[in-house]
């Protein structure tokens, strides 16, 4: 027996390899730490030098000393005191041309300093690693300026390179100690792992382990139980001798697919089903085999399946009972696959009836609580006095003549009926028609008694539908054509089928409630009509996904902006259900709020990205899940200006919009894709393009153009061609696009927003350049009143005159050139004042003796709304007035 500590053992070999890797990692980490320490020491020297130089350059009296006849006499003691107090290696004051006024080495005073003196003389503060005389150092150069901002001198402070190296050297022992300690701990961990591996392998080497597996293989082929191992692709990996004999397989079957092994169809279907099976009995030729089937990846093994087969042919002695049991098992197996194929209550109930007739009963009826069908939450536990409605039934006779109640009608059952007792007690009942309880019930219901006698009912089972402690209804199983009466085994089978059906019905009920709530929520969050504005003519369509997949998070919006502009938005939240709908509502509200602030498209998406990250953090989702698509959203945001005809767009992982121009051509705009919302840290980029009047802009979600049968590129091409059809109204074009791309139910939510851009007539816009002179206000005010008269808006002249006066005066007083006034006659009268300053005004309440502060308050009181939007060269203060009645 090999020693457990032999170098040939797997455990010792693993330890040696681990230790080698750990030593290499420790050495690499040590080098990285030394480099990092050196870098940090240099950065610290830079910061300290810059801080000392700036502090001394801005010290009181330095400017006066530099302008004095003898700067050295005044500054040398001050510089030396500052150097010793700050701990830097040197502190020197230089003239603008680099001549030293002060220096720790008095012999250097009056000599020219080396280095990039010109940058400091130009007024720039900076740090550098200086190599030269009198010593190499990390130094900072800071200009000294007089009251007029002119550079009159330079302060140089720094730390010698040898001092920086000394700082690093002092930290090396600590770094080496940490590295050594880490290596010792890691080696100890590797030793523990090796010890655990040694215990698991019992100190065996590769040869001994190979011999052990050979012994296991010999045992495997000598046991009297068949063993099959299949890989994830259902190929035979291993079959022992017993399995080959039981299934009639040839010796060279390893490596062949399951369907080529020549197995009985039922056995092949079972082995390929992927189900976990325990002692299911199935025929294989003339044998009955008890089959166990388990996955092999449960405990970390390779993906696949292992099956054990045990010959139970002796059960043929009990052929009658075994056949019945097999039929019941087959019925249960069929029921588990056929019942609950959809999330529809009526369909699921009908599937139960179809499975049970004729193999278990001649007539089956399923009745559910009326409150359940109306969408109410049924009370937990048994129920009494409930109203039942027939949702499904099935008979061996065509037309179901045994049914006294049609599907969809109310089914009445008195208190002494088996159905009422099942609902009240929660227990099943098995009766013969001749039983006193059944006879008494039928005697009180002549119509039911006549049906029973006419069709020869002789045995009855009533089973309550109960799932998760809640009673949902009752199922009746009746025999008339079967000569045998129901037995306890039949009752158990009926209860098993009903129990599985009840869970499926409860799942369907819960899903329908959640989907209805989510759909209601989503429709309440989406716009029902588009706002009135003049920039675009818009139409939209929203198609929810297939009910089996739940409600998604697609949304769209048309948001009027200041200056007659409009924002077009479309987005898609990952996932389905109420959570996706709620997230969509929060994002739509956020976009509307950010749009009111007049952010540029790329800035708006950046703010929206931060919001999605916060939402993911609130839901407990990590960054890795967000990056993989578990949390997040896509969005496209566009702003169109009808005055200039330009459109600015940015997108966050969303499909690019399509544009159909008046000349009949349609293209997809080339926009930087941008990352999906929720990843964070990556920028968004906006693109601005000019759209001819009458151009059609199509914004959509991926559910419109992508499906299982068609890729996204193909879908976008179909969309582009559909947009080129001339002469169609927008609503008609929406229907055509949706009908072309989504002829059937979509697999994902789909949203489409079409916008035909429009231009404001040149006569609706008036612009004036305003000199930065208070005297120009009167002339601008007169021009504005004159233009209002030309537009027929004399009634608005008084308010407009006040607004123009206040806004232009504020721009001249507090803003910067160029200053421009623009009036836009749209659905409202818009007044915009542009200046070159980025400082935004704030509305405040002026106190009694304040001379200012009332201008914006006056504008806010006289107009419908006002605001400020930033531009690349300044800002725009705008306000809107309602047009006079009749205009």
């Amino acid at each position: 027996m090999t020693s457990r500590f032999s170098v040939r053992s797997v455990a010792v070999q693993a330890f040696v390899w681990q230790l080698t890797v750990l030593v290499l990692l420790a050495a690499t980490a040590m080098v990285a730490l030394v480099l990092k320490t050196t870098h940090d020491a240099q950065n610290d020297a830079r910061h300290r030098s810059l801080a000392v130089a700036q502090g001394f350059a801005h010290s009181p009296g330095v400017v006066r000393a530099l302008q004095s006849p003898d700067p050295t006499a005044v500054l040398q003691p001050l510089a030396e005191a500052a150097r010793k107090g700050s701990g830097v290696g040197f502190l020197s004051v230089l003239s603008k041309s680099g001549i030293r006024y002060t220096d720790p080495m008095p012999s250097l005073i009056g000599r020219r300093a080396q280095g990039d003196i010109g940058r400091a003389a130009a007024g720039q503060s900076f740090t550098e690693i200086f190599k030269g005389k009198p010593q190499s150092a990390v130094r900072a150069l800071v200009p000294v300026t007089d009251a007029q901002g002119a550079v009159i001198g330079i302060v140089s402070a720094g730390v010698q390179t040898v001092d920086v190296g000394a700082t690093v050297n002092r930290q090396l022992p600590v770094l080496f100690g940490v590295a050594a300690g880490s290596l010792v701990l890691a080696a100890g961990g590797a030793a523990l792992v090796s010890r655990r591996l040694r215990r698991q392998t019992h100190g065996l080497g590769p040869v001994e382990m190979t011999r052990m597996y050979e012994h296991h293989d010999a045992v495997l082929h000598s046991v009297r139980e068949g063993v099959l191992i299949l890989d994830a692709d259902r190929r035979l990996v291993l079959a022992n001798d017993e399995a080959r004999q039981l299934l009639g397989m040839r010796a060279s079957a390893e490596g062949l697919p399951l369907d080529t092994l020549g197995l009985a169809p039922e056995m092949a279907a079972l082995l390929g089903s992927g189900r976990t099976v325990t002692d299911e009995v199935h025929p294989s030729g003339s044998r009955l085999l008890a089959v166990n089937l388990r996955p092999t990846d449960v405990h970390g093994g390779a993906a696949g399946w292992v099956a054990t087969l045990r010959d139970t042919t002796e059960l043929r002695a009990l052929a009658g009972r075994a056949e019945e049991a097999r039929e019941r098992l087959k019925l249960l197996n069929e029921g588990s696959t056929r019942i609950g194929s959809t999330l529809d209550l009526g369909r699921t109930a009908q599937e139960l009836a179809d499975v049970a007739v004729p193999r278990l009963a001649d007539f089956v009826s399923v009745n559910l609580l009326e409150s359940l069908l109306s969408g109410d939450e049924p009370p937990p536990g048994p129920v009494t006095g409930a109203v039942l409605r027939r949702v499904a039934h099935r008979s061996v006779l065509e037309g179901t003549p045994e049914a006294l109640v049609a599907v969809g009608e109310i089914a009445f059952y008195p208190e002494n009926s088996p159905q009422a007792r099942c609902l009240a007690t929660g227990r099943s009942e098995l009766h013969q028609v001749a039983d006193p309880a059944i006879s008494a019930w039928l005697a009180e219901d002549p119509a039911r008694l006549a049906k029973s006698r006419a069709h020869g009912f002789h045995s009855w089972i009533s089973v309550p539908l109960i799932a998760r402690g809640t009673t949902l209804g009752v199922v009746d199983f009746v025999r008339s054509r079967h000569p045998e009466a129901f037995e306890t085994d039949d009752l158990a089978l009926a209860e098993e089928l009903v129990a599985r059906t009840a869970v499926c019905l409860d799942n369907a009920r819960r899903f329908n409630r959640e989907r209805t709530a989510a759909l209601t929520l989503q429709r309440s969050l989406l716009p029902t009509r588009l706002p009135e504005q003049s920039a675009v003519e818009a139409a939209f369509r929203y198609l929810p996904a297939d009910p089996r997949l739940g409600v998604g998070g697609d949304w769209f919006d048309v948001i009027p902006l200041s200056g007659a502009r409009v924002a077009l938005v479309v987005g898609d939240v990952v996932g389905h259900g109420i959570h996706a709908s709620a997230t969509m509502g929060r994002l739509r509200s956020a976009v509307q709020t950010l749009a009111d602030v007049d952010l540029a498209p790329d800035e708006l998406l950046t703010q929206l990205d931060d919001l999605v990250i916060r939402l993911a953090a609130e839901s407990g989702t990590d960054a890795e899940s967000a990056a993989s698509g578990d949390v997040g959203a896509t969005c496209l945001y566009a702003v169109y200006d009808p005055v200039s005809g330009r459109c600015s767009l940015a997108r966050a992982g969303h499909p690019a919009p399509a544009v159909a121009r008046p000349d009949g051509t349609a293209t997809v705009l080339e926009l930087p894709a941008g990352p999906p919302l929720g990843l964070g840290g990556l920028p968004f980029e906006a693109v601005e393009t000019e759209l001819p009047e009458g151009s059609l802009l199509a914004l959509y979600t991926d559910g419109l153009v992508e499906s299982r049968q068609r890729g996204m590129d193909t879908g976008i091409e179909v969309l582009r061609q559909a947009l080129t059809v001339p002469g169609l109204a927008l609503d008609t074009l929406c229907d055509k696009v949706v009908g072309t791309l989504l002829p059937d139910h979509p697999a994902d939510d789909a949203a489409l927003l079409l916008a035909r851009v429009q231009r404001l007539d040149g006569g609706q816009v008036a612009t004036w350049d305003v000199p930065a002179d208070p005297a120009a206000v009167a002339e601008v005010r007169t021009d504005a009143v004159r233009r209002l008269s030309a537009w027929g808006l004399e009634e608005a002249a008084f308010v407009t005159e006040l607004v123009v006066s206040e806004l232009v005066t504020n721009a001249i007083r507090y803003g910067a050139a160029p200053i421009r006034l623009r009036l836009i006659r749209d659905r409202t009268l818009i007044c915009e004042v542009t200046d070159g300053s980025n400082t935004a005004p704030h509305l405040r309440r002026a106190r009694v003796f304040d001379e200012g502060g009332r201008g914006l308050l006056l504008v806010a009181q006289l107009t419908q709304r006002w605001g400020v939007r930033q531009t690349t060269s300044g800002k725009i203060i705008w306000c809107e007035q309602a047009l006079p009645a009749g205009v």
Side-chain angles (χ1 to χ4, degrees):
M1 184 69 181
T2 304
S3 171
R4 293 190 176 187
F5 297 92
S6 173
V7 295
R8 294 189 298 126
S9 67
V10 175
V12 173
Q13 292 178 14
F15 172 77
V16 172
W17 278 107
Q18 291 181 69
L19 189 59
T20 302
V21 172
L22 289 173
V23 170
L24 292 176
L25 290 176
T28 304
M30 186 61 197
V31 173
L33 286 173
V34 171
L35 294 177
K36 178 68 169 54
T37 303
T38 303
H39 178 74
D40 291 344
Q42 289 184 352
N43 281 345
D44 178 69
R46 286 177 181 269
H47 296 159
R48 183 147 49 97
S49 300
L50 183 61
V52 172
Q54 288 179 335
F56 191 84
H58 296 95
S59 298
V62 173
V63 174
R64 186 167 56 253
L66 286 171
Q67 294 173 342
S68 65
D70 188 2
T72 301
V74 178
L75 294 176
Q76 176 69 8
L78 296 177
E80 281 301 291
R83 177 183 67 82
K84 295 176 180 179
S86 61
V88 296
F90 61 90
L91 177 63
S92 301
V93 181
L94 315 177
S95 67
K96 184 177 179 180
S97 60
I99 302 300
R100 290 185 175 89
Y101 288 142
T102 71
D103 195 272
M105 299 175 63
S107 60
L108 296 179
I109 295 177
R111 295 186 181 181
R112 181 181 299 276
Q114 297 181 4
D116 193 0
I117 304 300
R119 288 174 61 188
Q124 181 179 357
S125 298
F126 62 96
T127 62
E128 63 179 2
I129 297 178
F130 172 75
K131 295 182 179 180
K133 296 181 180 180
Q135 63 271 327
S136 298
V138 177
R139 71 174 184 178
L141 296 177
V142 176
V144 181
T145 58
D146 59 12
Q148 288 73 33
V151 177
I152 63 174
I154 302 170
V155 175
S156 173
V159 179
Q160 297 180 9
T161 303
V162 294
D163 294 334
V164 175
T167 301
V168 175
N169 293 335
R170 285 194 298 270
Q171 298 183 21
L172 286 180
V174 177
L175 296 179
F176 280 115
V178 172
S182 301
L183 183 60
V184 170
L185 291 176
L192 291 177
V193 172
S194 177
R195 181 181 178 185
R196 179 64 181 271
L197 181 61
R198 186 175 64 248
R199 291 167 61 184
Q200 292 180 344
T201 60
H202 301 284
L204 296 177
V207 175
E208 288 79 6
M209 293 184 68
T210 301
R211 186 181 301 112
M212 179 184 67
Y213 283 117
E214 291 175 350
H215 294 165
H216 289 178
D217 187 67
V219 172
L220 179 68
H221 289 285
S222 62
V223 296
R224 303 305 300 168
E225 184 169 293
V227 177
L228 289 177
I229 299 179
L230 304 172
D231 62 14
D233 297 326
R234 299 301 190 274
R235 290 181 176 273
L236 183 62
V237 177
L238 182 145
N240 67 354
D241 295 338
E242 184 70 10
R244 293 193 185 95
Q245 180 181 356
L246 293 176
L247 298 177
M249 292 189 303
R250 58 184 181 273
S252 60
E254 277 83 355
L256 297 178
L258 179 63
D259 55 1
T260 63
L261 297 179
L263 305 181
E266 185 176 355
M267 181 62 66
L270 173 65
L271 296 177
S273 66
R275 296 187 297 111
T276 298
V277 174
T278 302
D279 286 336
E280 284 191 8
V281 178
H282 292 270
S284 178
S286 59
R287 303 174 185 272
L288 285 176
L289 303 180
V291 182
N292 290 272
L293 188 62
R294 294 288 188 276
T296 58
D297 58 355
V298 176
H299 301 291
W305 295 85
V306 59
T308 61
L309 312 170
R310 191 170 61 255
D311 188 358
T312 58
T313 309
E314 61 273 11
L315 296 179
R316 296 292 290 254
L318 303 174
R321 301 297 297 176
E323 185 65 22
E324 293 178 4
R326 189 170 67 87
E327 287 298 324
R328 291 191 179 94
L329 290 174
K330 289 178 62 177
L331 183 58
L332 281 176
N333 181 50
E334 183 177 345
S336 65
T337 57
R338 290 180 55 184
I339 299 173
S341 62
T342 67
L343 290 170
D344 181 78
L345 290 171
R347 177 76 177 273
T348 302
Q350 188 62 51
E351 288 170 346
L352 168 62
D354 293 343
V355 168
V357 175
R359 296 163 66 180
L360 178 61
D362 298 316
F363 173 76
V364 173
S365 64
V366 183
N367 305 291
L368 298 182
L369 300 182
E370 176 68 14
S371 59
L372 176 71
L373 298 173
S374 62
D376 297 333
E377 184 72 22
V383 295
T384 56
V387 178
L388 296 173
R389 186 176 293 275
R390 179 69 53 82
V391 293
H393 57 213
R394 176 73 183 271
S395 170
V396 293
L397 302 177
E398 186 176 356
T400 319
E402 305 98 323
L404 187 64
V405 179
V407 173
E409 294 183 352
I410 297 295
F412 295 97
Y413 293 102
E415 292 184 1
N416 64 338
S417 65
Q419 295 81 2
R421 288 195 300 271
C422 285
L423 294 176
T425 62
R427 293 191 297 270
S428 306
E429 293 191 7
L430 187 158
H431 294 283
Q432 309 304 320
V433 173
D435 292 347
I438 298 296
S439 299
W441 166 48
L442 294 178
E444 297 177 0
D445 192 342
R448 197 177 300 276
L449 177 60
K451 286 279 187 182
S452 176
R453 290 177 175 176
H455 296 285
F457 294 171
H458 62 81
S459 189
W460 205 304
I461 290 177
S462 294
V463 182
L465 278 161
I466 301 175
R468 302 180 179 96
T470 300
T471 301
L472 308 177
V474 65
V475 182
D476 288 322
F477 300 85
V478 180
R479 278 186 177 177
S480 57
R481 296 286 190 256
H482 275 71
E484 302 86 1
F486 284 125
E487 299 179 353
T488 55
D489 289 342
D490 299 314
L491 176 61
L493 177 59
E495 289 177 336
E496 181 66 24
L497 288 173
V498 171
R500 298 187 182 189
T501 305
V503 173
C504 296
L505 289 172
D506 191 54
N507 291 339
R509 174 186 67 85
R510 292 169 181 264
F511 171 81
N512 288 332
R513 288 196 53 167
E514 179 180 344
R515 183 178 182 276
T516 301
L519 190 58
T520 302
L521 172 63
Q522 187 181 43
R523 287 174 177 170
S524 68
L525 295 173
L526 288 172
T528 56
R529 62 182 182 85
L530 300 179
E532 296 182 358
Q533 40 76 40
S534 302
V536 298
E537 176 192 1
F540 66 89
R541 291 293 183 271
Y542 173 76
L543 286 81
D546 188 278
R548 294 172 297 178
L549 300 180
V551 179
D554 292 14
W555 92 92
F556 58 89
D557 224 334
V558 176
I559 307 172
L561 303 178
S562 62
R565 299 171 305 132
V566 67
L568 306 173
V569 192
V570 66
D572 185 2
V573 176
V574 173
H576 292 83
I578 292 181
H579 178 71
S581 298
T583 302
M584 176 270 291
R586 298 174 74 173
L587 293 183
R588 179 172 178 246
S589 299
V591 170
Q592 291 176 335
T593 302
L594 295 172
D596 287 341
V597 186
D598 270 319
L599 294 178
D602 52 342
E603 295 176 359
L604 183 141
L605 291 181
T606 300
Q607 297 293 329
L608 204 61
D609 185 47
D610 293 339
L611 173 61
V612 174
I613 292 174
R614 288 197 298 272
L615 293 179
E618 291 175 2
S619 63
T621 304
D622 55 19
E624 182 179 352
S625 298
S628 65
D630 295 338
V631 175
T634 64
C635 183
L636 171 65
Y637 185 79
V639 176
Y640 173 69
D641 186 352
V643 177
S644 65
R646 300 194 68 80
C647 183
S648 179
L649 310 94
R651 60 180 176 138
H654 201 82
V659 176
R661 292 179 169 79
D663 60 4
T665 62
T667 59
V668 176
L669 288 180
E670 294 184 2
L671 299 180
L677 299 173
L679 294 185
L682 298 175
F684 300 97
E685 184 177 350
V687 171
E688 190 172 62
T689 184
E690 185 171 354
L691 299 177
E693 185 173 9
S695 296
L696 184 64
L697 190 62
L699 285 71
Y700 52 91
T701 59
D702 57 0
L704 181 71
V705 295
E706 187 177 25
S707 66
R708 297 185 182 93
Q709 296 78 26
R710 179 185 59 232
M712 179 174 289
D713 292 340
T714 303
I716 293 177
E717 178 62 23
V718 174
L719 170 64
R720 189 183 64 81
Q721 295 176 0
L723 293 177
T724 59
V725 179
L728 294 181
L730 281 188
D731 281 327
T732 305
L733 184 57
C734 278
D735 293 334
K736 175 178 176 55
V737 170
V738 171
T740 302
L741 288 166
L742 300 175
D744 301 320
H745 292 293
D748 190 10
D749 283 18
L752 171 66
L753 177 62
L754 296 182
R756 182 170 284 120
V757 302
Q758 303 174 138
R759 292 277 188 97
L760 292 182
D761 185 78
Q764 295 179 262
V765 182
T767 306
W768 297 273
D769 291 324
V770 182
D773 183 2
V777 176
E779 182 180 352
V780 172
R781 192 167 53 230
T782 302
D783 291 341
V785 172
R786 188 180 300 115
R787 179 51 61 97
L788 292 183
S789 299
W791 285 343
L793 302 178
E794 292 85 354
E795 294 183 27
F798 176 72
V799 173
T800 304
E801 192 173 5
L802 289 176
V803 169
V804 169
S805 179
E806 290 294 338
L807 296 183
V808 173
T809 301
N810 283 346
I812 294 173
R813 180 177 298 175
Y814 305 111
I819 301 173
R820 184 175 293 108
L821 169 66
R822 184 168 74 167
L823 295 180
I824 302 175
R825 184 181 183 273
D826 189 32
R827 296 176 182 270
T828 60
L829 179 61
I830 304 170
C831 176
E832 296 181 343
V833 175
T834 306
D835 69 79
S837 171
N838 289 319
T839 304
H842 298 282
L843 184 66
R844 66 182 181 88
R845 185 176 298 278
R847 293 174 294 186
V848 176
F849 298 105
D850 287 349
E851 295 183 1
R854 297 177 177 83
L856 285 181
L857 182 61
L858 181 64
V859 172
Q861 294 294 323
L862 294 177
T863 60
Q864 284 183 313
R865 62 190 190 119
W866 74 279
V868 181
R869 70 175 183 266
Q870 298 291 333
T871 66
T872 56
S873 58
K875 67 176 181 296
I876 298 176
I877 305 178
W878 57 269
C879 62
E880 294 183 4
Q881 305 174 54
L883 296 178
V887 177

